[in-house]
Amino acid sequence: MSSSSLTLTSDPHQDYDRLKEVKQFDDSKLGVKGLLDSGLASSSSIPLIFHHPPDSQPGPIPHTRPTHTHHSIPIVDFSAPKPILTDQITRAASTVGFFQITNHGIPLPVIQRTLAAVKSFNELPAEIKTAHYHREMGRGVTFSTNVDLYQSKAASWRDTIQMRLSPVPPNPSDIPEVVREELLEWNEEVERIGKRVLGLLSEGLGVEEGRLKEMACLEGRTMAAHYYPYCPRPDLTYGLTSHTDPGVVTVLVQNEVAGLQVKVGEEWVDVELVEGAVVINIGDILQIISNDEYKSVEHRVLANPLQEPRVSVAVFCNPSNRDGLFGPLPELVSEEKPARYRQFTLSDYLQRFFKKELDGKTLTNYYRL
């Protein structure tokens, strides 16, 4: 379907068939960037499929962001002595569930190359990108708009390359050439950093340094490389709606365009842009494994009001054992602190995740005793 034959309703007072228009948009393979380039999104309107319900819209977004809030996301120096490092990471994981690491040993040019490659892919001519547009993970790589496009109440303003990294990586020829080398290289950096982060988080729980690694918590990695183009109406939609991550930990890098926010208490806090920093956050599975010692918290990305696109690359670290049982570590369960979750298999857990929209903390609540 060409852009000239795609007609999407923009007037909220006009009746429309949401599912029909979602399918038309998806079949066009244009993505959000393609909507902009084709003129199907104007300075005053965006298609109705992207309008979030009035009670959950972000509202007017200021071009200058507040610099003072009651909370901030910790920035941890990864070169600090181990006792200090363990204490800082444990404190961050137990409270806000997010922290940034600096001096981690990943060269800045590697991060910049990774982000630049994702930007380049999304800015390729439409006819090249549409050849990659599909949402079936069978080959291990997809490119689409919103993994939950058909489940969500409203679409969000971003396009995403999603890629399975391990234990079975995709065939390199299935990865778009412009990002192939950079994303595979980034996977190696994440594996190295992830091992150290999991070791520190294990020690913070008072268990052996290798405990989470023994559970293969780093072996089932998936990447989501997000591209958030300029949005003409950021007051009506989001870049990524409020959600928690389902896995163990998430490792993320972002370019110089802000938008990521973390919910701390009742306040939405901006994640400060720190050049070369790597953002780490706790996922639902680690909250369960830690028996609520660590916190998986809601976060979101505002739609991008700037002409320069926002680019981020997130790697979700999950266990690779689909049929093993997961639940609170036995070492963390006692009469004083009984298990707060029932056990489950990873296959059941992920099946539930992919059947729902990205919204809230329904998975941890589902398994809570």
Side-chain angles (χ1 to χ4, degrees), residues 133-153:
Y133 192 102
H134 70 94
R135 54 181 69 249
E136 296 79 38
M137 273 300 280
R139 285 182 291 166
V141 187
T142 69
F143 169 59
S144 65
T145 297
N146 298 197
V147 67
D148 62 340
L149 181 66
Y150 290 91
Q151 289 85 25
S152 63
K153 299 179 188 70

Side-chain angles (χ1 to χ4, degrees), residues 63-96:
H63 283 278
T64 56
R65 308 284 279 270
T67 53
H68 298 292
T69 65
H70 295 105
H71 305 282
S72 62
I73 305 307
I75 298 172
V76 177
D77 183 348
F78 228 45
S79 66
K82 192 175 181 184
I84 295 173
L85 188 55
T86 304
D87 178 65
Q88 289 182 345
I89 284 180
T90 303
R91 215 167 338 126
S94 305
T95 53
V96 296

Side-chain angles (χ1 to χ4, degrees), residues 7 29 37 46-47 57 88 161 203 266 269 281 300 309 314-315 343 353 364:
T7 55
K29 303 186 176 185
D37 293 345
I46 57 176
Q57 287 174 1
Q88 289 182 345
I161 302 168
E203 290 191 32
E266 293 305 309
V269 178
N281 67 277
R300 68 185 186 185
V315 176
Q343 292 189 318
F353 174 76
T364 48

Side-chain angles (χ1 to χ4, degrees), residues 5 10 15 36 64 68 116 150 213 225 255 272 330:
S5 62
S10 296
D15 289 336
L36 277 174
T64 56
H68 298 292
Y150 290 91
K213 187 173 179 294
N255 72 347
E272 182 185 348

Side-chain angles (χ1 to χ4, degrees), residues 52 56 58 98 148 152-154 156 158 228 237-245 259-265 267-268 284 296-303 353 356-362:
H52 285 252
S56 63
F98 265 76
D148 62 340
S152 63
K153 299 179 188 70
S156 296
R158 75 180 184 283
Y228 305 88
T237 191
Y238 288 92
L240 187 57
T241 50
S242 174
H243 67 287
T244 59
D245 291 345
L260 177 59
Q261 294 186 322
V262 177
K263 195 171 189 182
V264 184
E267 185 178 10
W268 284 103
D284 290 345
S296 171
V297 301
E298 290 186 57
H299 50 287
R300 68 185 186 185
V301 178
L302 298 177
F353 174 76
K356 73 182 188 71
E357 66 174 312
L358 293 171
D359 185 30
K361 286 180 67 69
T362 53

